[in-house]
Amino acid sequence: MGTEMEFQGLPEGCIAVILSRTTPVDACRLSVVSKLFHSAADSDAVWECFLPSDYHSIISQCSLPNYPSKKALYLALADHPVIFDEGKKSLQLEKKSGKKCYMIAARALSIVWGDTEQYWNWTTDPDSRFPEVAELIDVCWLDIRGVFSTLTLSPDTLYAAYFVFKMINPIGFKNRRVEVSVDFNGDDGSIKHVCLDGSSSGRRVAGLQRPSLRSDGWLEIEMGEFFNGGLEDKVQMSVKEVKAGNWKSGLFVEGIEVRPKYENNQPVFTV
């Protein structure tokens, strides 16, 4: 009781400074302590600290309305992804921490034969956040690559990259080994084999990771992870199947998402 009374005796500005050094979750919890705490916890001074340091640059690239407070802006960026770079990228804040999550649209990826109509088709999908997704018509050489700068991410954070896609009447993917990799700052990268076909029918290849269903209707599979220390580095990501020689179709690519990863292995889906 004595400690609480000591806090109650502090000016609202001092309480705001203390809350700004916690987390968005803590600030919301502490806002119920008293009217003074509630006022401090809702202040722009607190939520300015929870927003990314480059948020002015971010919102200047997006068609966002004028929000009445920094807290309202934070919640808007956390609740829905914002699209920028001419519909080729999206940004969303992880609600509990404020860390940045990005998705690179299929249009911003390097897809071998991606502009050849007999192999790939660019179409729309009502579940997609982007204006276009890539539809695989027929290829025997599947090669999709993306590059990301760590400067755009939250520093001192473990990130993972996820391939986001759909399968509609797929051919050539059942129990097929597909190589995914994350190459961080020119290192050899982490290479592993996965199966993009998530169906349960037929023979399953032991040890192959299968995709998970996201709450936005897409599938995703983890490609690898890297730690962003805050320096300027490049992350190169790839999805490849170039050895089997069989023809493949029915794959719809939304993009590659990069988001924080936690040791409890409970990912936060950005939808």
Side-chain angles (χ1 to χ4, degrees):
M1 177 66 72
T3 302
E4 182 178 337
M5 292 300 295
E6 289 176 9
F7 274 111
Q8 295 290 357
L10 292 174
E12 181 179 321
C14 291
I15 296 175
V17 170
I18 294 171
L19 294 179
S20 70
R21 285 163 171 73
T22 61
T23 68
V25 172
D26 292 331
C28 290
R29 288 173 177 168
L30 291 169
S31 68
V32 302
V33 170
S34 67
K35 290 183 179 180
L36 181 62
F37 267 71
H38 185 276
S39 179
D42 277 358
S43 68
D44 282 352
V46 170
W47 290 90
E48 176 95 21
C49 295
F50 296 151
L51 286 164
S53 59
D54 59 346
Y55 80 91
H56 288 291
S57 174
I58 293 169
I59 61 178
S60 69
Q61 302 178 61
C62 310
S63 299
L64 291 176
N66 291 322
Y67 289 96
S69 66
K70 293 296 191 297
K71 181 180 180 179
L73 174 60
Y74 179 96
L75 293 176
L77 292 174
D79 287 339
H80 301 285
V82 292
I83 311 301
F84 66 102
D85 194 14
E86 300 180 341
K88 295 178 181 178
K89 293 177 184 176
S90 76
L91 164 73
Q92 189 168 9
L93 299 184
E94 187 187 69
K95 201 166 192 174
K96 292 182 178 181
S97 68
K99 292 183 181 295
K100 292 186 281 187
C101 312
Y102 279 95
M103 186 183 290
I104 309 170
R107 265 299 184 191
L109 300 175
S110 174
I111 302 177
V112 173
W113 296 317
D115 291 320
T116 305
E117 292 184 359
Q118 70 186 87
Y119 299 128
W120 288 89
N121 177 47
W122 291 94
T123 185
T124 60
D125 189 294
D127 293 330
S128 179
R129 65 185 66 180
F130 298 116
E132 288 182 304
V133 299
E135 175 189 4
L136 174 56
I137 302 300
D138 214 12
V139 298
C140 61
W141 186 285
L142 179 67
D143 193 335
I144 302 171
R145 300 169 185 265
V147 180
F148 213 91
S149 171
T150 56
L151 283 181
T152 59
L153 301 174
S154 299
D156 301 318
T157 302
L158 178 65
Y159 274 92
Y162 300 84
F163 183 53
V164 183
F165 64 100
K166 280 184 179 181
M167 289 287 192
I168 301 178
N169 300 320
I171 296 175
F173 287 99
K174 182 170 289 186
N175 298 315
R176 183 70 62 186
R177 293 177 180 272
V178 175
E179 180 184 295
V180 295
S181 68
V182 173
D183 180 350
F184 180 51
N185 195 27
D187 294 335
D188 292 338
S190 59
I191 298 175
K192 63 180 180 179
H193 291 92
V194 301
C195 182
L196 299 183
D197 182 9
S199 63
S200 58
S201 62
R203 177 181 59 86
R204 297 176 70 91
V205 179
L208 281 189
Q209 179 185 346
R210 301 273 172 159
S212 301
L213 179 64
R214 295 161 54 100
S215 57
D216 59 3
W218 292 83
L219 297 173
E220 71 171 18
I221 198 159
E222 184 179 326
M223 303 169 64
E225 63 184 46
F226 61 93
F227 183 79
N228 179 31
L231 300 177
E232 184 175 7
D233 295 312
K234 292 290 184 182
V235 181
Q236 301 185 52
M237 305 155 289
S238 69
V239 179
K240 296 171 59 178
E241 203 297 288
V242 299
K243 297 179 180 178
N246 66 304
W247 290 87
K248 293 166 279 289
S249 63
L251 172 69
F252 290 74
V253 180
E254 184 177 39
I256 295 178
E257 185 175 55
V258 180
R259 66 173 187 258
K261 182 178 181 181
Y262 297 94
E263 293 182 357
N264 61 10
N265 293 321
Q266 295 182 0
V268 179
F269 292 144
T270 58
V271 298

